[in-house]
Amino acid sequence: MTLTQPDLDVFTTLESEVRSYCRNWPTVFDRAHGSRMYDEAGREYLDFFAGAGSLNYGHNNPVLKRALLDYLERDGVTHGLDMSTTAKRAFLESFQNTVLRPRDLPYKVMFPGPTGTNAVEAALKLARKVKGRETVVSFTNAFHGMSLGSLAVSGNAAKRAGAGVPLVHTVRMPFDRYAEGATPDFRWFEQMLVDRGSGLDRPAAVIVETVQGEGGVNVARPEWLRALAGLCRRHDMLLVVDDVQMGCGRTGAFFSFEESGIVPDVVTVSKSISGYGLPMSLCLFRPELDVWEPGEHNGTFRGNNPAFVTAAAALATYWGDDALERRTLAHARTIEAALRETAAHHSGSVCRGRGMAWGLELADPGHAGRAARRAFELGLLVETAGARDEVVKLLPPLTVTPDDLDEGLRTVQRAVHETA
């Protein structure tokens, strides 16, 4: 195939400088199917990015696409604010019967705005309203979104710098094994809670990711999460789990916290909940926390009916049994083996992850960026993560075939080796 220079002029001259992913992948994509994307010149790329975790079931999944096309062809409601619709009812019934009841989770379902940060903002607002307190505790290297409330509980200095105003009413605590576990779990945190001279106002809530994706694929141990849940109970703080990127099967189970056995007070879900990459988010919480007044938190696009349709189809197709979870965990073993082999050839490197969210941290922070760029040249999309972009991050679709998974992992290994 003859490679032609893509026409990027309109993007570079008209689109804002804030654009980011397109800088790393300088081509113009035209179509996508399954685990692959194609640019306008016809070049094929294996996608281990999956819409930053929004495409757990792959691009244009045929079952979900058929459900969406059928709905649109019969003039189903597209925009409905928070009105009751048949599409919303079908999703809620499916979510209750397929996800909540089998896990004995009592949550109410709230539809905030359609993105992950909208769900986080709703969770923070609700926690402060319920407890009548302002402070929220978050963790080192956390990422919860780019709106101001979500940024306040995020750790990345570069992202926080874009706020333009002080980010207040939050306190940061060390994530699991921060500084290589030099401080015993929660010793500092609990001491500050009980010491009247610590200066820490009683928090309303603690917000945590069980796996910090943007922070570098940092994995919290189940026992650490259980200890955190116990700390929250003892000190009357709500526990909020941000499952925006790691939910919907990314770590194996539908929710990433299931392995630990905890039941958070509030859970935020987005990205792959629609199944098709359509904007949609949920804020889930215990019924006794449902203290909202009608319309007290709303948004014009909180009723994305096409997303309800594809979300219900995804639940029916993939979550009626444990086949997807078992396949995800099998793929996880393949990914881990390949990354461990790669790390063994590069001194100071380490891999970590759960399910199908994995990271390869390289000793030279610039190495990860070079490897990601080389992977693109070889026809593979991967991104970097971590405070210094020192981690090559892998988020393949959960539906990736074994052959595509092997091809992608071989490409990662080649890109890392060639850019060392």
Side-chain angles (χ1 to χ4, degrees), residues 149-303:
S150 301
L151 262 185
V153 292
S154 295
N156 185 284
K159 292 180 172 64
R160 289 169 60 86
V165 297
L167 298 171
V168 296
H169 307 309
T170 64
V171 173
R172 205 87 52 219
M173 290 293 169
F175 190 71
D176 189 16
R177 289 175 287 198
Y178 184 73
E180 299 181 352
T183 303
D185 295 343
F186 307 116
R187 179 177 179 181
W188 175 252
F189 190 179
E190 188 145 31
Q191 182 64 32
M192 292 189 72
L193 288 170
V194 299
D195 184 356
R196 294 187 178 183
S198 71
L200 175 62
D201 295 328
R202 179 61 57 89
V206 176
I207 185 168
V208 67
E209 302 155 276
T210 66
V211 180
Q212 294 181 328
E214 300 304 311
V217 195
N218 306 310
V219 182
R221 294 166 296 155
E223 57 267 31
W224 187 86
L225 292 169
R226 288 192 290 269
L228 176 61
L231 181 71
C232 289
R233 285 194 301 271
R234 290 195 300 276
H235 295 281
D236 189 32
M237 303 178 294
L238 297 183
L239 177 59
V240 181
V241 167
D242 181 343
D243 232 6
V244 167
Q245 188 169 89
M246 297 300 159
C248 303
R250 176 54 58 179
T251 64
F254 188 87
F255 294 110
S256 70
F257 57 80
E258 292 183 51
E259 179 187 2
S260 68
I262 66 172
V263 179
D265 299 295
V266 184
V267 182
T268 60
V269 181
S270 186
K271 290 194 182 282
S272 276
I273 186 61
S274 81
Y276 203 74
L278 299 175
M280 178 178 173
S281 74
L282 310 176
C283 186
L284 312 174
F285 40 79
R286 296 180 184 274
E288 61 270 24
L289 304 179
D290 194 6
V291 297
W292 295 112
E293 296 293 332
E296 190 173 14
H297 187 90
N298 58 29
T300 303
F301 295 100
R302 64 196 183 279

Side-chain angles (χ1 to χ4, degrees), residues 20-344:
S20 59
Y21 292 115
C22 58
R23 297 178 188 272
N24 298 324
W25 301 325
T27 192
V28 181
F29 293 103
D30 179 56
R31 60 189 181 89
H33 180 76
S35 300
R36 297 184 182 268
M37 299 186 72
Y38 304 84
D39 68 17
E40 61 182 349
R43 190 180 181 207
E44 183 178 290
Y45 298 84
L46 189 54
D47 185 5
F48 274 26
F49 174 66
S54 298
L55 296 163
N56 282 3
Y57 314 111
H59 293 272
N60 286 301
N61 182 291
V63 177
L64 312 190
K65 179 166 66 175
R66 185 70 264 161
L68 177 60
L69 291 175
D70 288 347
Y71 182 76
L72 295 176
E73 285 171 353
R74 71 169 185 82
D75 291 334
V77 174
T78 300
H79 182 270
L81 295 155
D82 70 350
M83 292 183 286
S84 299
T85 64
T86 55
K88 184 198 282 188
R89 180 172 60 198
F91 167 73
L92 284 170
E93 290 174 346
S94 181
F95 191 68
Q96 182 179 46
N97 294 330
T98 307
V99 176
L100 297 181
R101 279 181 177 159
R103 292 161 179 79
D104 198 25
L105 295 173
Y107 298 136
K108 296 290 288 291
V109 179
M110 174 184 178
F111 299 104
T115 71
T117 198
N118 295 139
V120 171
E121 295 284 357
L124 299 177
K125 184 190 290 188
L126 180 62
R128 288 169 169 140
K129 179 178 174 65
V130 168
K131 294 299 182 184
R133 309 177 204 138
E134 296 177 347
T135 302
V136 173
V137 174
S138 59
F139 292 94
T140 51
N141 289 307
F143 179 73
H144 297 288
M146 296 295 279
S147 51
L148 291 182
S150 301
L151 262 185
V153 292
S154 295
N156 185 284
K159 292 180 172 64
R160 289 169 60 86
V165 297
L167 298 171
V168 296
H169 307 309
T170 64
V171 173
R172 205 87 52 219
M173 290 293 169
F175 190 71
D176 189 16
R177 289 175 287 198
Y178 184 73
E180 299 181 352
T183 303
D185 295 343
F186 307 116
R187 179 177 179 181
W188 175 252
F189 190 179
E190 188 145 31
Q191 182 64 32
M192 292 189 72
L193 288 170
V194 299
D195 184 356
R196 294 187 178 183
S198 71
L200 175 62
D201 295 328
R202 179 61 57 89
V206 176
I207 185 168
V208 67
E209 302 155 276
T210 66
V211 180
Q212 294 181 328
E214 300 304 311
V217 195
N218 306 310
V219 182
R221 294 166 296 155
E223 57 267 31
W224 187 86
L225 292 169
R226 288 192 290 269
L228 176 61
L231 181 71
C232 289
R233 285 194 301 271
R234 290 195 300 276
H235 295 281
D236 189 32
M237 303 178 294
L238 297 183
L239 177 59
V240 181
V241 167
D242 181 343
D243 232 6
V244 167
Q245 188 169 89
M246 297 300 159
C248 303
R250 176 54 58 179
T251 64
F254 188 87
F255 294 110
S256 70
F257 57 80
E258 292 183 51
E259 179 187 2
S260 68
I262 66 172
V263 179
D265 299 295
V266 184
V267 182
T268 60
V269 181
S270 186
K271 290 194 182 282
S272 276
I273 186 61
S274 81
Y276 203 74
L278 299 175
M280 178 178 173
S281 74
L282 310 176
C283 186
L284 312 174
F285 40 79
R286 296 180 184 274
E288 61 270 24
L289 304 179
D290 194 6
V291 297
W292 295 112
E293 296 293 332
E296 190 173 14
H297 187 90
N298 58 29
T300 303
F301 295 100
R302 64 196 183 279
N304 189 352
N305 283 263
F308 295 154
V309 170
T310 54
L315 294 176
T317 304
Y318 294 104
W319 294 101
D321 56 32
D322 65 351
L324 181 66
E325 180 176 353
R326 288 188 284 105
R327 183 167 54 185
T328 296
L329 297 178
H331 283 336
R333 293 189 288 272
T334 301
I335 298 170
E336 181 176 12
L339 293 186
R340 286 195 183 280
E341 178 185 350
T342 307

